[in-house]
Amino acid sequence: MTERELFDAYNKDVYRTCYYMLRNAQDAEDLCHDVFVTVFRQDWRNVGHIRAWIMRITMNHCLNLLRRNQTQREKQSQVEWLHEQTAAAVKSVDTVVLERAAAAEWEHLLRQLPDKLMSVITLRYIGELSISEIAETLNIPVGTVKSRIHKALKIMRKKLERHNRYEVKGEEQYGTP
């Protein structure tokens, strides 16, 4: 495999992961470039699980940048990027509004997670990596990945339930059915 073939095979996964971790298109593009510079400077031809190795480098770059620039998280909306990437399928206005609301709520919950939890959720549900690939990517045990996913989903579920209870109380208070 040539460097070009390696880049073509993994650049979309790397960019997508960077974008979801950083929520900024320009930073994601810059970091994607940095990841491949790092990869090509290493002996990548002798790596056994190349995808997991590249994703580990990607996550390390992302987490390092997040640590340096905590305020960068709020810059870009994941929702905007998702809608730009969505195929030009015709949808009703109601469907689009509901999808945007759900995506905005998901993004809000994801942003509130600590970096360690956000990284496993991002890799699992956005990067679509398996539990073992996440463990290899982050260089942590499989059990730790499972517990972090469980903890992150539990936190998000509690916040969502709290939010929904608040909305229902507010509707009852103002007489909305």
Side-chain angles (χ1 to χ4, degrees):
M1 178 183 291
T2 66
E3 288 180 348
R4 182 66 187 180
E5 290 170 335
L6 180 77
F7 177 80
D8 289 340
Y10 297 106
N11 75 324
K12 289 180 183 173
D13 289 336
V14 170
Y15 177 81
R16 182 176 47 234
T17 301
C18 290
Y19 184 83
Y20 276 96
M21 288 298 292
L22 304 174
R23 293 179 188 80
N24 181 289
Q26 186 62 48
D27 288 345
E29 192 173 310
D30 292 345
L31 213 58
C32 184
H33 176 266
D34 293 346
V35 165
F36 281 100
V37 167
T38 302
V39 167
F40 295 144
R41 287 183 177 165
Q42 304 295 320
D43 189 17
W44 59 271
R45 286 182 173 87
N46 294 326
V47 174
H49 301 283
I50 192 95
R51 181 174 190 246
W53 181 69
I54 289 173
M55 295 310 289
R56 179 186 305 153
I57 292 170
T58 302
M59 287 306 296
N60 287 339
H61 276 69
C62 289
L63 292 171
N64 287 340
L65 185 62
L66 284 172
R67 286 183 196 111
R68 286 192 305 263
N69 302 315
Q70 284 294 329
T71 58
Q72 292 290 19
R73 285 189 190 181
E74 308 285 327
K75 281 189 172 184
Q76 278 275 346
S77 170
Q78 290 178 356
V79 179
E80 292 172 14
W81 185 81
L82 284 173
H83 289 295
E84 290 172 8
Q85 302 302 315
T86 304
V90 178
K91 298 178 184 175
S92 72
V93 174
D94 291 343
T95 303
V96 171
V97 168
L98 289 173
E99 286 175 356
R100 286 184 181 176
E105 193 168 21
W106 169 256
E107 177 188 353
H108 178 71
L109 291 171
L110 190 62
R111 261 197 322 247
Q112 294 176 356
L113 292 174
D115 289 345
K116 287 181 178 183
L117 300 180
M118 183 177 62
S119 63
V120 293
I121 293 295
T122 301
L123 287 172
R124 180 71 179 124
Y125 297 105
I126 296 167
E128 299 177 353
L129 269 66
S130 69
I131 301 290
S132 58
E133 288 175 321
I134 296 169
E136 191 172 332
T137 298
L138 297 177
N139 201 22
I140 58 176
V142 170
T144 303
V145 173
K146 289 178 180 179
S147 68
R148 285 182 184 176
I149 289 173
H150 177 76
K151 184 175 182 178
L153 293 175
K154 186 177 178 181
I155 289 170
M156 293 172 73
R157 191 177 304 115
K158 280 184 180 179
K159 289 182 184 243
L160 189 59
E161 287 171 357
R162 210 175 303 133
H163 177 72
N164 289 341
R165 276 197 307 266
Y166 178 76
E167 278 186 352
V168 169
K169 277 186 176 180
E171 290 173 0
E172 289 172 0
Q173 183 179 0
Y174 294 109
T176 307

